[in-house]
Amino acid sequence: METMRDRFITTTTRLLDEDPRIALVLAEISRDGFGPAERAHPNRVVNVGIREQLLIGAGAGMALTGVRPVMHTFASFLVERPFEQVKLDLGHQGVGGVLVSAGASYDWPAGGFTHMSPGDVALLDTLDGWTVYVPGHPDEAEALLRQAVVGDGRVYVRLSLQSNSTGRPVTHPGFGTVRRGSGGVVVAVGPMLDNVLAATEGLDTTVLYATTVRPFDAAGLRQAVGTAGTADVVIVEPYLAGTSTAAANDALADLPHRVLGLGVGRSELRRYGQMTDHLVAHGLDAPSLRQRITGFLLD
């Protein structure tokens, strides 16, 4: 089965052919997949080696010359390790670029905690002006990547091995309505949608789907709350639990409301296991989500 990372490689290879403004900066990760692109565009496919600070610095330098850089590695090495360069080389200098990660929160448990990044979106929340895309399917990853390379803004595209069974059209930046109900609102982010739909099957709840999480769709959430008739909101995110809770609280500040943020816990799991084991351990599998969502909405 094709993964989001596979689709990223094929799509970016095409983008390099289509748009001479685009450049790709790698730090060894995925280099084999980009072999043909590197041979076709040796001046616009640059591998800096295992030097993640240089990865961001080189991309920012390219952006200063008018190039649209796409910078790629595992999320922990793309956002966390070179965070100072993300903050200064891109943000402080006022230039844009596209960060495309792999690995997500626990895609490769055997790599250990060094290769896990549940805090990446929360960390980017400390900076101004970032758009954050969290696709839930390879088709969405391609559509969002093509949106990301247009313009000059700072964009983070968060890819994962976890995927929904089908892709959904990416037609607007706000939340999409998947199911309507009157007993609360559940926001499913990216690859959490299938589990959320299974968890809420038969419940009288509205389910929103988010692939663009920053900027946060405050208007869409307010509209859904008004339709549902209750301001009980659950946000299910594939990264640090509570990352978007403050944004939801701000959106509903003038209404009596409750918000439950579900996601990856803060405690480090020191067993490798598989990705599915981590989903269960963090309560993000469908049975656990149903228990947690119903316990909150029906309280």
Side-chain angles (χ1 to χ4, degrees):
M1 178 180 175
E2 185 184 36
T3 66
M4 295 187 206
R5 187 174 168 191
D6 294 333
R7 185 68 66 87
F8 160 66
I9 291 172
T10 57
T11 300
T12 304
T13 297
R14 294 193 194 101
L15 288 169
L16 287 162
D17 293 335
E18 297 167 3
D19 188 347
R21 181 172 174 253
I22 295 173
L24 174 67
V25 191
L26 302 172
E28 291 296 341
I29 302 304
S30 301
R31 184 182 184 184
D32 289 347
F34 283 109
E38 187 175 12
R39 290 189 292 273
H41 308 287
N43 295 327
R44 290 192 288 123
V45 178
V46 178
N47 177 38
V48 301
I50 307 175
R51 300 175 179 88
E52 287 81 9
Q53 289 89 346
L54 179 58
L55 170 76
I56 302 301
M62 292 177 181
L64 286 169
T65 70
V67 170
R68 184 63 167 162
V70 176
M71 294 154 276
H72 168 69
T73 186
F74 288 127
S76 55
F77 307 143
L78 186 67
V79 176
E80 295 178 335
R81 179 173 292 174
F83 182 69
E84 183 179 14
Q85 284 68 42
V86 172
K87 181 177 74 171
L88 299 179
D89 294 1
L90 292 171
H92 180 64
Q93 293 193 117
V95 296
V98 182
L99 307 183
V100 182
S101 69
S105 295
Y106 38 68
D107 279 6
W108 186 39
F113 204 52
T114 58
H115 287 67
M116 299 180 186
S117 187
D120 52 352
V121 176
L123 191 55
L124 284 178
D125 265 350
T126 66
L127 304 178
D128 184 41
W130 280 87
T131 296
V132 179
Y133 294 145
V134 186
H137 186 274
D139 290 350
E140 298 165 9
E142 176 173 352
L144 291 167
L145 178 62
R146 288 186 173 276
Q147 289 183 21
V149 298
V150 176
D152 299 299
R154 292 183 288 277
V155 184
Y156 178 41
V157 184
R158 189 183 203 264
L159 306 183
S160 176
L161 284 177
Q162 187 182 357
S163 177
N164 299 317
S165 56
T166 59
R168 294 177 178 269
V170 179
T171 56
H172 56 83
F175 301 161
T177 302
V178 180
R179 182 185 295 160
R180 295 187 185 277
S182 60
V185 176
V186 182
V187 181
V189 175
M192 298 311 307
L193 179 61
D194 278 3
N195 284 358
V196 167
L197 288 175
T200 57
E201 183 66 33
L203 300 180
D204 186 21
T205 57
T206 292
V207 176
L208 303 181
Y209 181 45
T211 55
T212 300
V213 296
R214 297 295 182 275
F216 186 86
D217 185 12
L221 180 61
R222 286 184 64 90
Q223 182 178 16
V225 163
T227 302
T230 175
D232 287 344
V233 175
V234 181
I235 304 177
V236 184
E237 302 172 287
Y239 34 80
L240 191 65
T243 296
S244 296
T245 300
N249 279 322
D250 288 345
L252 304 173
D254 60 333
L255 301 174
H257 67 276
R258 299 188 304 160
V259 178
L260 174 65
L262 302 180
V264 180
R266 293 180 181 273
S267 61
E268 179 183 348
L269 303 180
R270 294 178 177 268
R271 294 172 182 257
Y272 289 149
Q274 302 295 324
M275 183 173 67
T276 52
D277 297 319
H278 285 253
L279 279 167
V280 173
H282 290 292
L284 295 174
D285 59 304
S288 298
L289 284 173
R290 186 174 184 87
Q291 182 179 18
R292 299 168 82 185
I293 290 170
T294 55
F296 176 74
L297 295 179
L298 302 180
D299 183 16

